[in-house]
Amino acid sequence: MERSQNMHTVLLLAFACLLATSSSADTKPPNIIFILADDMGWNDVSFHGSNQIPTPNIDALAYHGIILNNHYVLPICTPSRAAFMTGKYPIRTGEQGTPMDEHEGRGLANGTLLPGYLKQLGYVTRAVGKWHLGFHEVELTPTYRGFDSFLGHWGGSIGYFDFIVQTTPDGKELNGYILWKNLTTAWEHAGRYSTDVYTEEAERLILEHDTERPLFLYLAHQACHSGDPAAPVTAPQDTINKFLYISDPNRRIYAGVVSKLDESVGRVVAALQSRGMLENSIIVFTPDNGAPTTGKTANWGSNYPFRGLKATLWEGGVRSPALVWSPLLQNTPRVSHQLMHVTDWLPTFYAAAGGNVSSLPEDLDGVSLWDALVTNSESPRTEVLLNIDEKVGNGAIRIGEWKLVKGVQNNAAGAGYLGASGTENNRSTPAYGPQQVLASPAGQAVSSVLGGSTSPEDMLGLRSQATVSCPDRPQTPLCQLLNSSDVCVYNITQDPCEAVDVEVPEEVLSMLVERLEEFWQQLTPQEESNSHPDIADPARWNYTWVPWSTCNADSSHSFCNVVD
């Protein structure tokens, strides 16, 4: 790993010399590319030790950057996205509960979001993919919330090929097309695979970008969320056929979804290189929450070896397989154990862009980790509120090495250990190959920019460091939560699989309980469901999902798609 670190040191010295001979006005802020996967498990990236689903492009970024092994998100879709965009815990905005449905009159509260702050620093801001922060009023849609353009779906779950949302609130069947380009229905993409559509748009935006200005690209894929009820997850058949060695046919299809997602990452990195943008870019990859191995929205992802699923506060629901890559980082590649939360990206990106973090609102929960990431110093974050859902009556917090989980979890099936380990059919599962990582589009692009590659031996070493192992994990976790007052406490560093009851010092237990209660007292009650299936019905609007509150008040808007 020494050769790779020396290479980064030379690059950083050159970068420092460039800064010293240039005026601050000539220094360009870095391009920021944030790639958000949906419902992807800890064990679904191969840099965490599983051979089952190779992710060579994602791995290439990980092995030449920083693997964030203590990165936390929220347990479910809308809360994570709200936290990322606002830099605030969802309990501040009332978004800590269930995700928004398309027929609900809900939306993220008014206020400046991350793209708005970056626009103040001169950024062009682009959003591609899933929004899921409200659209019943047009003012809630991305181009009203700080983005210069948007191509994607406004809601939560769509068919991978048809971009149709099907839902049955109160027994009323609603279905309609929901792919939009800004405020125009993007009918031209119907029948194409969503990952390809979003990737091509990201490539187009990069290839047509004015490189005199910094770019913020928010690429929020549908993959790997379940979609059409008739085919929850799907991928092109030729991609699925690469994984015939996986015995579970559902897991095999899921592998195809992940493979297309990995391909997308490679294409985006290659596009940045082709425009000469990669050498001044920051790329982050993370899912929004853990995988739902079972349940209503099951996608057959795996959070192994962690306990729990999406919609739970166990590590499997909230600890994400994340990474950050940039030539601006020092002491890379490495596996980081710095504590980090999804709210931290707003101030971190703002600092990386040259903004004065002290000018941001004081009520942010996120803290800037830019200096800590660049220099590999101690994280300024010492605690993470993992969430509080006052309707369900549960919450969780981590302070230092200690984690407390309180109350019955949202998915009873997620109380234990679920999901493929990645070691089934060892005789037929292909061996992991670092050469495949180096040969990937992302591997070739980052190696070209950095002037060299991490060696295969060092890649395997990083992979081993990033793999979480719990050899003494019991079949069933010892601590169970049966009512709202029950708590489980763990030293999460020693017991990442939340398996064992330990003797907790009284002062530690008091600290955890009191701090969680402090947050509980600060909570903004979550939005009520406010469902309007009759008004929202896509049948009223040419079978498309539109900003139905706005259209109901004035259907003359061009985006209302009124049926003649």
Side-chain angles (χ1 to χ4, degrees), residues 188-317:
E188 65 271 23
H189 296 297
R192 302 192 58 230
Y193 191 59
S194 65
T195 304
D196 289 336
V197 171
Y198 294 157
T199 303
E200 288 172 14
E201 176 68 1
E203 289 175 315
R204 183 188 71 81
L205 292 170
I206 292 167
L207 296 177
E208 296 178 4
H209 179 67
D210 176 5
T211 56
E212 292 302 308
R213 297 182 63 191
L215 171 67
F216 170 52
L217 173 60
Y218 174 59
L219 176 54
H221 275 289
Q222 174 191 4
C224 309
H225 199 290
S226 63
D228 186 334
V233 288
T234 189
Q237 191 60 49
D238 60 339
T239 304
I240 296 171
N241 289 346
K242 297 176 182 178
F243 301 97
L244 296 178
Y245 56 83
I246 299 177
S247 61
D248 182 341
N250 293 312
R251 178 75 175 166
R252 191 182 311 145
I253 296 170
Y254 178 83
V257 174
V258 173
S259 182
K260 290 295 290 183
L261 174 64
D262 180 75
E263 175 190 301
S264 172
V265 171
R267 289 170 62 179
V268 168
V269 174
L272 290 166
Q273 184 201 19
S274 73
R275 291 300 313 283
M277 296 167 64
L278 189 59
E279 54 262 43
N280 189 31
S281 289
I282 301 167
I283 303 175
V284 173
F285 176 88
T286 181
D288 59 347
N289 46 250
T293 302
T294 64
K296 182 180 179 181
T297 61
N299 68 357
W300 296 276
S302 171
N303 305 304
Y304 181 89
F306 290 145
R307 179 179 184 178
L309 314 171
K310 171 184 178 176
T312 76
L313 293 166
W314 307 116
E315 295 289 278

Side-chain angles (χ1 to χ4, degrees), residues 34 39 63 84 86 108 149 160 236 242 295 320 332 354 408 481 508 518 526-527 545:
F34 191 86
D39 287 12
Y63 294 151
F84 172 70
T86 63
L108 184 60
S149 68
Y160 275 83
K242 297 176 182 178
S320 72
T332 57
V408 179
L481 299 172
V508 170
E518 285 180 27
Q526 60 191 272
E527 292 185 277
W545 290 96

Side-chain angles (χ1 to χ4, degrees), residues 11 191 289 332 396 522 528:
L11 283 169
N289 46 250
T332 57
Q522 300 168 17
E528 297 300 325

